[in-house]
Amino acid sequence: MLQLNWRLWIKNFLCIYANSCGGNIPFITITTPKPTAALSGSCLNVPCSFTAAPGSKVFDSIQETRGAWIKNGNYIYNINNGVDTNLVNITGNLSQKNCTSLFSNINKSQAGEYFLRIENGGYKTTACSDPLQITVEDSPWSPSINISGGDLKEHQSVTITCSALTPCPHSPPELTWNLQQDSHRQTEKNTDGTFTTKIQENITLSDTHDGYNIRCSARYPVNGGNKTAETAVTLSVSYAPRNTSASIRPSGLVSAGSWVELNCSSRAKPPSSFTWFRNSKHGAINVSVGHIYSFSVTEGGEFYCVATNDLGNETSSRICVGVKDSPWSPSINISGGDLKEHQSVTITCSALTPCPHSPPELTWNLQQDSHRQTEKNTDGTFTTKIQENITLSDTHDGYNIRCSARYPVNGGNKTAETAVTLSVSYAPRNTSASISPSGLVSAGSWVELNCSSRAKPHASFTWFRNSKHGAINVSVGQIYSFSVTEGGEFYCVATNDLGNETSSRICVGVKDSPWSPSINISGGDLKEHQSVTITCSALTPCPHSPPELTWNLQQDSHRQTEKNTDGTFTTKIQENITLSDTHDGYNIRCSARYPVNGGNKTAETAVTLSVSYAPRNTSASISPSGLVSSGSWVELNCSSRAKPPASFTWFRNSKHGAINVSVGQVYSFSVTEGGEFYCVATNDLDHQRSSFITFVS
């Protein structure tokens, strides 16, 4: 009965395999790493062995053994049935049942199942029940970083290893890291036949290694270059207390009965616990445990703290608590860092308040109704303060803020005062220009122009001379001295980091020559259809006998002489015009004829208009003209008058509408069929289309 059950089990087992192998019984089974992954562009070494069960024939290791990997095929039972045996190189000895194989130049198309076919004399079979499964990755595998030694502590020697999978041992990855760069690379064979590449470094840990970020990258050679992956590990190193220090608040001398707070800090991992000691004539006395030690002062003394963790301890330096009888000076704080005009700041006067039930009275020379408030600090002490918000101006520079704190004590009061002087930066103010000597001067004589301004930081000065071409920079510095050759109008500009200010104009008049008039056109950049006012102005040192102005615009323009804000006079004529493209390049000339003893003296100024306008006269041409042969080249050319210059786009009419065929002034192409073309000229102001041109091939 037992023998019958065994035979039945064998029959069922073979049927299961036969069904998964298309009705065939697998007589060989293979052993390979699972899963088997490869990197695209590299090679893949697959360690492999197989077992051969007897069938109608028996595997004979003496006979020649042939083998092939057959991929996803319907013909996995015959090596000669169209199978490419060069798909992979079987490097193992098949007679010894070693089917280790090398896949070269792996790509995505090689992913999938591979069946091992063995032919050994009459013994021919396929491992159809357990195919080799290959996956192909585009991205490489991140290396792994291993640190020996478990929990890390200072003074501990550890070995740090960076390892990378090496599916292609003939071309292993290059490993680099931010530890010692000459670490030796080695590629080792694993127990399952696969390979690993690694680098190692031995170091002795210290507290500086805590938080250190180790980065290791693996660069895999592939066809056409490299593929790189990186891993990072942050070290967590325990260490004994470092930089242990003690501080006191408030600092300096304190009144008997007031509270002080001692604070102990240390850098340690794990965090420290703290113990406070007071030195006495009998030695150190443990007075408190904890980070902070607060107490009411009865006498002076010397204190220190000890920081402790599992790895050691460290003692702080000593601090002294001293007792005094005089009150504390208040402190004045101004928000905002460096102070500048127009800046809004909060000014605070604060006083230590050891007795919050009887706080000091604060007074200062700012607004007297500033609200006094006493606040509890985070350390449990108290502070009394008054505040004021102000917007700074240049008038605040040099202002002296004084604040006094009057403490109620037995029998009266004790007062202390603090003063702070504001330093406010501001842009130049009261900028003015002067000339010496004043009045008209002879040609060739020297004059001195002087610029002055009030500013913080101090201003630098630049001198300008007005000309028909605009303001010309003529000198840098507070004083500008020069020999006069002709009259002119000058001004200076005072500048610092916060701004600048321009002085009023001063005139240098020469007895022999008049001043050239100036032409001004309103409206900034000029465009067609824009309405502008054109003004010709002339200095008028003698308003009772002003110059006569004439120009090549409308001759009946009304002349008027006006008084300027600085007390000088100017004579001007004006004209309002609407611009068009015809005004571009127009030269406006204006002359000022000054009446002088014995006749007149005349000066002239000219300005050329620069007017922007949309494209005009847009046209298209073809070369060669007339009929053209199919396959020959033609050139279409688009032209237009515009300012700024136009850009061009070519279109071809089709039964579906206009098609954009080219961008640029010239469109050259080989003719395949006739057509109708036109171009569009465009600038910032508008566009215009050319007429159509038609040619027949």
Side-chain angles (χ1 to χ4, degrees):
M1 183 68 177
L2 179 63
Q3 186 178 10
L4 180 61
N5 288 340
W6 172 253
R7 287 178 179 174
L8 182 60
W9 182 88
I10 290 293
K11 182 178 180 182
N12 289 337
F13 174 81
L14 292 177
C15 286
I16 291 170
Y17 270 108
N19 289 338
S20 63
C21 293
N24 295 283
I25 298 174
F27 291 105
I28 64 169
T29 58
I30 65 170
T31 301
T32 60
K34 291 182 175 57
T36 302
L39 180 62
S40 176
S42 182
C43 75
L44 173 64
N45 186 75
V46 181
C48 174
S49 62
F50 65 88
T51 59
S56 59
K57 300 290 183 178
V58 177
F59 183 92
D60 184 0
S61 61
I62 298 175
Q63 292 196 45
E64 178 189 3
T65 303
R66 299 171 61 209
W69 290 99
I70 304 172
K71 181 177 185 293
N72 295 351
N74 296 320
Y75 306 102
I76 64 172
Y77 303 106
N78 190 338
I79 291 176
N80 298 317
N81 193 6
V83 174
D84 181 7
T85 56
N86 295 318
L87 181 68
V88 57
N89 182 21
I90 300 177
T91 58
N93 187 342
L94 292 174
S95 296
Q96 300 301 317
K97 301 178 182 177
N98 184 342
C99 49
T100 298
S101 302
L102 179 65
F103 290 75
S104 301
N105 299 324
I106 290 286
N107 57 56
K108 278 287 190 180
S109 67
Q110 291 173 260
E113 293 182 334
Y114 290 79
F115 298 88
L116 180 65
R117 175 70 176 177
I118 295 295
E119 295 185 2
N120 174 258
Y123 186 91
K124 299 180 180 181
T125 186
T126 300
C128 56
S129 64
D130 55 343
L132 168 64
Q133 181 72 43
I134 293 178
T135 61
V136 179
E137 307 291 340
D138 284 327
S139 300
W141 303 272
S142 296
S144 62
I145 297 175
N146 177 266
I147 304 164
S148 67
D151 293 336
L152 304 182
K153 298 180 178 64
E154 64 178 349
H155 312 308
Q156 179 182 352
S157 294
V158 296
T159 298
I160 303 175
T161 305
C162 178
S163 308
L165 296 175
T166 308
C168 181
H170 306 291
S171 186
E174 178 184 349
L175 298 178
T176 56
W177 59 3
N178 57 341
L179 295 180
Q180 192 167 328
Q181 288 305 316
D182 59 354
S183 304
H184 178 63
R185 181 183 72 171
Q186 49 189 348
T187 300
E188 299 174 350
K189 189 173 185 178
N190 304 317
T191 55
D192 63 355
T194 60
F195 290 82
T196 299
T197 299
K198 62 178 64 175
I199 52 177
Q200 283 184 332
E201 191 66 42
N202 298 316
I203 64 172
T204 300
L205 298 173
S206 71
D207 62 303
T208 60
H209 287 106
D210 182 53
Y212 185 76
N213 196 255
I214 301 174
R215 296 184 302 278
C216 182
S217 64
R219 187 170 65 177
Y220 288 80
V222 297
N223 290 335
N226 298 285
K227 292 184 177 182
T228 302
E230 185 179 273
T231 295
V233 168
T234 301
L235 296 181
S236 177
V237 180
S238 298
Y239 54 93
R242 295 284 193 283
N243 312 122
T244 304
S245 64
S247 62
I248 182 172
R249 183 177 178 188
S251 59
L253 295 175
V254 295
S255 298
S258 62
W259 280 79
V260 296
E261 180 187 275
L262 306 184
N263 190 299
C264 192
S265 64
S266 184
R267 181 172 62 82
K269 191 170 185 177
S272 302
S273 60
F274 301 94
T275 307
W276 282 97
F277 296 86
R278 182 180 187 274
N279 284 333
S280 74
K281 60 184 178 181
H282 304 295
I285 302 171
N286 183 329
V287 293
S288 183
V289 173
H291 176 50
I292 294 174
Y293 173 36
S294 299
F295 59 97
S296 175
V297 177
T298 56
E299 60 179 349
E302 185 180 66
F303 296 81
Y304 66 90
C305 65
V306 176
T308 305
N309 71 3
D310 296 339
L311 282 82
N313 61 70
E314 190 180 54
T315 301
S316 73
S317 57
R318 271 59 175 168
I319 55 175
C320 290
V321 177
V323 180
K324 69 164 187 175
D325 293 323
S326 57
W328 302 271
S329 296
S331 62
I332 297 175
N333 176 267
I334 304 164
S335 66
D338 294 336
L339 305 182
K340 299 178 177 66
E341 64 177 348
H342 313 308
Q343 179 181 352
S344 293
V345 297
T346 300
I347 303 176
T348 306
C349 178
S350 307
L352 296 174
T353 306
C355 183
H357 306 292
S358 184
E361 179 184 350
L362 298 178
T363 57
W364 59 2
N365 58 341
L366 294 180
Q367 192 167 331
Q368 287 307 314
D369 60 353
S370 302
H371 177 64
R372 181 183 72 171
Q373 50 188 345
T374 299
E375 299 175 348
K376 189 174 184 178
N377 305 317
T378 56
D379 60 2
T381 61
F382 289 82
T383 299
T384 299
K385 61 178 66 174
I386 54 177
Q387 282 184 331
E388 192 66 43
N389 298 315
I390 64 173
T391 299
L392 298 173
S393 70
D394 61 305
T395 60
H396 288 105
D397 182 54
Y399 186 78
N400 194 256
I401 300 174
R402 295 184 304 277
C403 183
S404 64
R406 187 171 62 175
Y407 288 84
V409 296
N410 290 335
N413 297 287
K414 290 188 178 181
T415 302
E417 185 178 273
T418 296
V420 168
T421 301
L422 296 181
S423 178
V424 180
S425 298
Y426 54 92
R429 294 285 191 282
N430 312 123
T431 303
S432 64
S434 61
I435 183 172
S436 176
S438 59
L440 293 174
V441 295
S442 300
S445 62
W446 280 79
V447 296
E448 182 184 275
L449 306 184
N450 189 300
C451 192
S452 63
S453 185
R454 181 171 61 82
K456 187 170 185 178
H458 293 303
S460 60
F461 301 94
T462 307
W463 282 96
F464 295 86
R465 181 182 186 275
N466 282 330
S467 75
K468 62 183 178 182
H469 304 296
I472 302 171
N473 182 326
V474 293
S475 182
V476 173
Q478 185 173 5
I479 295 174
Y480 172 38
S481 299
F482 60 98
S483 174
V484 177
T485 57
E486 59 179 350
E489 186 181 66
F490 295 79
Y491 64 91
C492 64
V493 176
T495 305
N496 68 7
D497 295 338
L498 282 83
N500 59 71
E501 190 180 56
T502 301
S503 73
S504 57
R505 272 58 174 169
I506 56 175
C507 289
V508 177
V510 180
K511 297 175 181 178
D512 297 325
S513 59
W515 299 271
S516 295
S518 63
I519 297 175
N520 176 267
I521 304 166
S522 66
D525 294 336
L526 305 182
K527 299 179 179 65
E528 64 178 348
H529 312 308
Q530 179 181 352
S531 293
V532 297
T533 300
I534 304 175
T535 306
C536 177
S537 307
L539 294 175
T540 307
C542 182
H544 306 291
S545 183
E548 179 185 350
L549 298 177
T550 57
W551 58 3
N552 57 342
L553 295 180
Q554 192 167 330
Q555 288 305 316
D556 60 353
S557 303
H558 177 64
R559 181 183 73 171
Q560 50 188 343
T561 299
E562 299 174 348
K563 187 175 184 178
N564 305 316
T565 55
D566 61 359
T568 61
F569 290 83
T570 299
T571 298
K572 61 178 66 174
I573 54 176
Q574 284 184 331
E575 191 66 41
N576 298 317
I577 64 172
T578 299
L579 299 173
S580 70
D581 61 307
T582 60
H583 287 106
D584 181 53
Y586 186 80
N587 194 255
I588 300 174
R589 295 184 303 278
C590 181
S591 64
R593 188 171 63 176
Y594 288 82
V596 296
N597 291 334
N600 297 287
K601 290 189 176 181
T602 302
E604 185 179 272
T605 295
V607 168
T608 301
L609 296 181
S610 177
V611 179
S612 298
Y613 53 92
R616 296 285 193 280
N617 312 123
T618 304
S619 64
S621 62
I622 182 172
S623 177
S625 59
L627 292 175
V628 293
S629 300
S630 179
S632 62
W633 281 79
V634 296
E635 181 184 278
L636 305 184
N637 190 298
C638 191
S639 64
S640 184
R641 180 171 61 82
K643 188 169 184 178
S647 60
F648 301 94
T649 307
W650 282 95
F651 296 85
R652 181 181 186 275
N653 281 333
S654 72
K655 62 183 179 181
H656 303 294
I659 302 171
N660 183 327
V661 294
S662 181
V663 173
Q665 186 174 8
V666 176
Y667 172 37
S668 299
F669 58 96
S670 175
V671 176
T672 56
E673 59 181 352
E676 187 178 65
F677 294 78
Y678 66 90
C679 65
V680 175
T682 305
N683 68 5
D684 295 339
L685 281 78
D686 208 342
H687 62 272
Q688 187 181 51
R689 191 182 74 178
S690 73
S691 58
F692 295 93
I693 56 174
T694 305
F695 66 88
V696 180
S697 65

